[in-house]
Amino acid sequence: MRYREIVILTGAGVSAESGVRTFRDNNGLWEDHRVEDVATSEAFARDPNLVQRFYNLRRNQLHHIAPNPAHLALARLEREFDGRVTLVTQNVDDLHERAGSRDVIHMHGELRRVRCTRCDTVHHWLDDCTQRSRCPNCGQAPSLRPNIVWFGEMPFEMEAIHDRLTRCDLFVSIGTSGSVYPAAGFVSNVRHAGEAHTIEVNLEPSAGASRFAEHRNGKAGALVPVLVDELLGVGRSG
Ligand code: OAD
């Protein structure tokens, strides 16, 4: 069978071979911080300077990492596939774009964007952001926060994602532990729609592995180029 519409979901595991630390391999700490100290709106209200510094460091790290073969293969899939490919990522880095992917939905936001809490505009932001930084639109300060979805906040573009999930005939999840909703539930949204095939590519079986029809366990940098070759070749038979 040839697929017409593919949705790919990626998580931290796809960027691991580029040198980005995943979330759940470090005693619950994210780059040595407790998540509730840096990734909640309460943390930002309590200590905005700490939160800004944390995301400034993450944003600066982007200068020192590069896309790996998994990112490059997914960009090639989007370019060469004779149908629609939608890439939904939980990652806040920009490695998919730097590899050449165009149709990328960042459901948890992006390090290189900030949002004004007063006028709600979103700005591309490459430098450090502090409580003294002024919003380029309304000129207010302090007003800017990382355009990141923190715990307790609604992920971005959920309507568009659900629309693509219900239409797709192949859903592939790559490098995600399947422990954070709503992304962890996407595989069920697909299967309810009918005939779609589902594949999990992950270092080890994820928390939601039993919900996938097919499993490929190992490193994304090795497995994703092989999968993309298959999808661009004869496709899945049967
Ligand atoms: P996790 O750290 O929870 O899971 C990463 C998964 O990738 C694990 O299952 C690893 O086994 C797997 N993995 C590691 N290296 C790999 C490799 N080279 N190839 C393939 N798989 C590999 O990260 P996510 O599932 O992305 O949310 O986490 C989901 C969300 O939780 C994040 O987006 C973040 C976090 O809290 C927010 O910030 C809102």
Side-chain angles (χ1 to χ4, degrees):
M1 168 183 160
R2 276 185 181 278
Y3 300 109
R4 291 179 309 279
E5 182 139 355
I6 302 174
V7 176
I8 313 267
L9 171 70
T10 63
V14 84
S15 294
E17 289 158 77
S18 294
V20 181
R21 278 154 77 177
T22 56
F23 294 93
R24 285 172 185 78
D25 60 357
N26 209 19
N27 296 327
L29 296 182
W30 183 15
E31 299 280 357
D32 305 324
H33 289 270
R34 293 188 319 154
V35 162
E36 51 274 35
D37 290 338
V38 291
T40 61
S41 51
E42 291 79 10
F44 190 57
R46 198 167 52 236
D47 193 346
N49 294 314
L50 170 77
V51 175
Q52 295 280 21
R53 261 200 318 275
F54 178 80
Y55 287 97
N56 287 339
L57 281 171
R58 307 281 81 72
R59 195 177 300 116
N60 277 320
Q61 275 175 354
L62 298 179
H63 294 297
H64 307 291
I65 59 174
N68 67 54
H71 298 105
L72 294 168
L74 292 172
R76 186 161 67 88
L77 179 67
E78 183 186 318
R79 259 193 327 271
E80 297 179 15
F81 181 67
D82 184 20
R84 180 151 71 166
V85 177
T86 303
L87 191 48
V88 180
T89 187
Q90 299 169 87
N91 298 344
V92 294
D93 64 51
D94 59 355
L95 294 178
H96 284 306
E97 285 86 352
R98 281 159 59 191
S101 288
R102 294 280 165 265
D103 192 1
V104 186
I105 298 178
H106 280 271
M107 63 179 289
H108 289 167
E110 292 169 81
L111 286 169
R112 285 190 158 162
R113 288 187 196 278
V114 298
R115 182 166 84 242
C116 179
T117 54
R118 301 186 191 226
C119 71
D120 217 31
T121 50
V122 173
H123 305 280
H124 198 59
W125 203 271
L126 301 179
D127 303 323
D128 283 355
C129 183
T130 71
Q131 291 302 88
R132 287 191 306 280
S133 306
R134 292 190 182 281
C135 170
N137 184 52
C138 69
Q140 300 288 311
S143 63
L144 299 175
R145 58 160 279 179
N147 198 34
I148 300 281
V149 176
W150 286 328
F151 284 89
E153 297 181 332
M154 181 67 87
F156 296 144
E157 300 200 52
M158 287 307 296
E159 221 172 287
I161 294 170
H162 275 287
D163 178 62
R164 304 284 176 100
L165 286 170
T166 51
R167 288 162 190 270
C168 75
D169 44 18
L170 175 65
F171 174 70
V172 185
S173 170
I174 303 169
T176 173
S177 59
S179 47
V180 175
Y181 284 80
F186 286 172
V187 60
S188 303
N189 300 130
V190 174
R191 299 206 88 183
H192 284 207
E195 299 292 296
H197 186 51
T198 55
I199 306 176
E200 175 175 277
V201 179
N202 208 45
L203 205 51
E204 74 248 326
S206 76
S210 63
R211 294 194 256 172
F212 288 82
E214 185 181 337
H215 306 90
R216 300 185 182 198
N217 293 131
K219 290 192 170 184
L223 295 180
V224 175
V226 172
L227 175 64
V228 166
D229 279 347
E230 288 172 27
L231 294 171
L232 293 176
V234 290
R236 190 169 61 105
S237 59

